[in-house]
């Protein structure tokens, strides 16, 4: 009987395994340089497409968040053109009540809540700089634009309503917060910008109506005393009320501001005011000359660029003693014009006039122009300020949100 044995050439021999005395004798399966394959979830064909769609969606939302007010102006114009009966006087919205005694006061109550008196006080000692900014904004620009419009009308066919609107624009104070935001973005003197934005708008409540009456005369159906009363009731008193609330109940004001974006509310109300103003124009079928409209758009861009260039060189005069941070603040504060005051102001002064909407068009062109141009030059100005041996005079002031583009 045959006995089968498993043999490897050496039958019945015990195979001795090497003894592992320490961990150094163990050879790892993978060395430190070996890339170990990881278990990952399989990539499905739709995943890449989903990520791409998510990126596009995020970019669209960022664009809408950044430019929603400018898009809102376009929407207000289109809505007023298609449905003028909704927001015109005696229409469904009844703007003669809701806008005049609710909407406009809300705008200036919120402005009063946002004005920071401590920051104004801290920057109030730069009298030469503030005088330069306000003189250029509320004296030089109105006088120059009035002379320019007079010459242009003598040479070119510029519609009277649009010509008046350009002069109205020139009489306005600076933006409420956009000039501060752009000054900060360019590493300019933010405290100076904040002081002039606040002080300029307070000053503009008195000076702007006087300049308008000086350059354009009283062409309103309402008497002067009625205009003054409306200005006080709808603009000045709400602004003072906002400041009083900020002083008496600061905790409540901060609580509200922490939960409600007052800038968005302010701008949303302003869009309704713009829509209502233009609706009256479309209902009454006030004709706008196409050539005059194109000329107005060109003048708005050209004027703003000219103001920036002039301020850049004028602020460099050695006697003024401005550093680069100061000059950036001067450029943005003295060249920009607020849209928050013009529509309420025109609505009050030209209360019964069908041309209110046409007179508002220049500022509706100027506002996006100044935002776009400022966005383009802010990067170069920041590099210019940073290259200064002195640098900019920084402030601890926190600017208003960028969404507040007034």
């Amino acid at each position: 009987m045959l006995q089968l044995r498993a043999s490897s050439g050496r039958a019945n021999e015990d195979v001795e395994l090497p003894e592992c005395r320490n961990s150094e004798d163990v050879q790892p399966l993978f060395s430190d340089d070996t890339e170990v394959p990881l278990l990952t979830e399989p990539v499905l064909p739709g995943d890449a497409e989903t990520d791409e769609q998510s990126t596009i969606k995020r970019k669209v939302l960022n664009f809408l968040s950044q430019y929603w007010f400018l898009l809102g102006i376009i929407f207000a114009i289109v809505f007023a053109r298609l449905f003028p009966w909704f927001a015109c006087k005696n229409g469904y919205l009844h703007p003669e009540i809701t806008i005049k005694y609710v909407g406009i006061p809300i705008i200036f109550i919120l402005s009063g809540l946002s004005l920071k008196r401590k920051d104004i006080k801290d920057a109030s000692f730069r009298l030469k700089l503030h005088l330069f900014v306000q003189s250029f904004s509320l004296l030089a620009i109105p006088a120059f634009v009035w002379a320019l419009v007079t010459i242009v009308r003598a040479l070119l066919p510029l519609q009277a309503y649009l010509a008046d609107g350009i002069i109205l624009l020139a009489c306005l104070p600076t933006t409420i917060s956009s000039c501060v935001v752009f000054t900060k973005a360019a590493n300019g003197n933010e405290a100076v910008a904040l002081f002039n934005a606040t002080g300029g708008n307070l000053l503009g409540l008195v000076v702007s109506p006087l300049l308008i009456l000086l350059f354009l005369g009283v062409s309103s159906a309402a008497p002067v005393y009625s205009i003054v009363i409306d200005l006080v009731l709808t603009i000045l008193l709400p602004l003072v009320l906002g400041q009083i609330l900020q002083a008496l109940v600061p905790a409540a004001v901060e609580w509200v501001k922490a939960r409600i974006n007052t800038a968005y509310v302010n701008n949303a109300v302003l869009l309704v005011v713009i829509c209502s103003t233009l609706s009256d124009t479309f209902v009454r079928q006030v004709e706008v000359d196409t050539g005059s409209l194109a000329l107005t758009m060109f003048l708005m861009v050209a004027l703003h660029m000219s103001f920036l260039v002039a301020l850049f060189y004028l602020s460099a005069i050695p006697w003024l003693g401005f550093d680069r941070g100061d000059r950036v603040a001067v450029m943005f504060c003295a060249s920009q014009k607020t849209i928050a005051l013009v529509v309420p102001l025109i609505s009050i002064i030209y209360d019964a006039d069908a041309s209110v909407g046409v007179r508002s068009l220049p500022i509706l062109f100027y506002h996006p122009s100044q935002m776009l141009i400022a966005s383009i030059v802010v990067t170069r100005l920041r590099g210019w300020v940073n290259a200064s041996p002195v640098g900019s005079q920084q402030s601890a002031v926190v600017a208003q949100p960028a969404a507040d583009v007034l």
Side-chain angles (χ1 to χ4, degrees):
M1 184 176 181
L2 296 174
Q3 184 176 1
L4 300 176
R5 297 183 180 179
S7 173
S8 60
R10 292 185 301 178
N12 297 328
E13 287 186 16
D14 293 332
V15 179
E16 293 185 3
L17 296 176
E19 183 180 356
C20 180
R21 290 185 172 83
N22 51 57
S23 59
E24 295 179 354
D25 294 334
V26 180
Q27 298 298 322
L29 181 62
F30 298 102
S31 65
D32 292 339
D33 297 330
T34 306
E35 293 185 0
V36 182
L38 299 177
L39 294 177
T40 58
E41 295 182 1
V43 179
L44 300 178
D47 287 350
E49 183 179 354
T50 303
D51 292 340
E52 184 178 352
Q53 291 176 350
S54 177
T55 302
I56 295 174
K57 181 179 179 181
R58 185 167 58 253
K59 289 181 178 179
V60 171
L61 291 177
N62 289 339
F63 177 82
L64 294 176
S65 176
Q66 187 174 0
Y67 298 104
W68 74 273
F69 183 72
L70 300 182
L71 297 173
I73 291 178
I74 297 174
F75 176 81
I77 295 173
V78 173
F79 186 88
R81 181 66 183 89
L82 296 177
F83 311 103
W85 41 264
F86 180 81
C88 68
K89 288 183 179 179
N90 300 316
Y92 287 98
L93 188 61
H94 288 288
E96 66 276 7
I97 298 174
T98 57
I99 298 297
K100 187 173 183 179
Y101 297 109
V102 179
I104 294 175
I106 285 176
I107 291 175
F108 290 96
I109 287 175
L110 295 176
S111 296
L113 292 176
S114 301
L115 298 181
K116 300 178 180 180
R117 290 170 297 162
K118 181 180 180 301
D119 298 329
I120 300 172
K121 182 180 178 181
D122 292 342
S124 62
F125 300 104
R126 305 290 303 279
L127 296 180
K128 186 190 296 185
L129 193 154
H130 305 322
L131 183 62
F132 179 89
V133 171
Q134 299 307 323
S135 297
F136 192 94
S137 177
L138 294 174
L139 291 178
I141 289 181
F144 172 79
V145 170
W146 174 81
L148 177 65
V149 169
T150 303
I151 296 173
V152 169
R153 289 199 65 192
L155 300 175
L156 299 171
L158 179 62
Q159 191 173 1
Y161 294 148
L162 291 173
D164 289 350
I166 297 173
I167 297 175
L168 284 164
L169 161 69
C171 297
L172 297 174
T174 186
T175 49
I176 295 174
S177 64
S178 296
C179 59
V180 181
V181 172
F182 284 116
T183 298
K184 181 181 180 181
N187 288 344
N189 193 324
E190 188 182 355
V192 166
L194 184 60
F195 179 89
N196 282 279
T198 304
N201 277 272
L202 292 175
L203 189 62
L205 294 177
V206 178
V207 174
S208 292
L210 295 177
L211 289 173
I212 292 170
L213 297 177
L214 172 65
F215 288 114
L216 298 177
V218 183
S219 56
S220 170
V224 176
Y225 72 85
S226 177
I227 294 174
V228 173
I229 291 174
D230 281 340
L231 288 172
V232 170
L233 291 178
T234 59
I235 295 178
L236 186 58
L237 284 183
L239 188 72
V240 173
L241 176 61
Q243 284 285 282
I244 292 174
L245 290 174
Q246 188 178 160
L248 295 180
V249 285
V253 170
E254 291 301 322
W255 186 88
V256 171
K257 290 168 65 176
R259 287 160 178 78
I260 301 176
N261 191 324
T262 56
Y264 282 111
V265 176
N266 198 338
N267 289 338
V269 174
L270 184 59
L271 289 175
V272 178
V273 176
I274 293 172
C275 181
S276 172
T277 303
L278 294 174
S279 295
D280 277 333
T281 299
F282 291 126
V283 162
R284 302 183 190 186
Q285 297 182 345
V286 179
E287 294 184 359
V288 181
D289 180 63
T290 306
S292 295
L293 200 60
L295 179 58
T296 301
M297 295 174 67
F298 169 77
L299 286 175
M300 294 302 93
V301 177
L303 280 174
H304 186 64
M305 294 181 66
S306 300
F307 295 154
L308 284 174
V309 173
L311 287 165
F312 179 80
Y313 287 104
L314 288 174
S315 62
I317 297 175
W319 174 78
L320 294 172
F322 300 161
D323 63 20
R324 293 189 180 186
D326 294 336
R327 291 171 64 187
V328 168
V330 167
M331 289 174 64
F332 286 126
C333 292
S335 66
Q336 294 189 357
K337 296 294 181 179
T338 182
I339 195 175
L341 182 60
V342 63
V343 179
L345 196 59
I346 293 177
S347 300
I348 293 171
I349 295 178
Y350 300 98
D351 184 42
D353 198 323
S355 64
V356 172
V358 181
R359 286 185 166 100
S360 305
L361 289 178
I363 185 61
L364 297 183
F365 295 146
Y366 190 88
H367 180 74
S369 298
Q370 67 184 5
M371 295 296 105
L372 178 61
I373 293 172
S375 301
I376 294 173
V377 303
V378 69
T379 303
R380 294 184 63 86
L381 287 175
R382 181 169 61 244
W384 176 68
V385 171
N386 292 340
S388 171
V390 177
S392 62
Q393 297 177 357
Q394 290 297 313
S395 167
V397 179
V398 178
Q400 298 289 337
D404 187 2
V405 294
L406 302 181

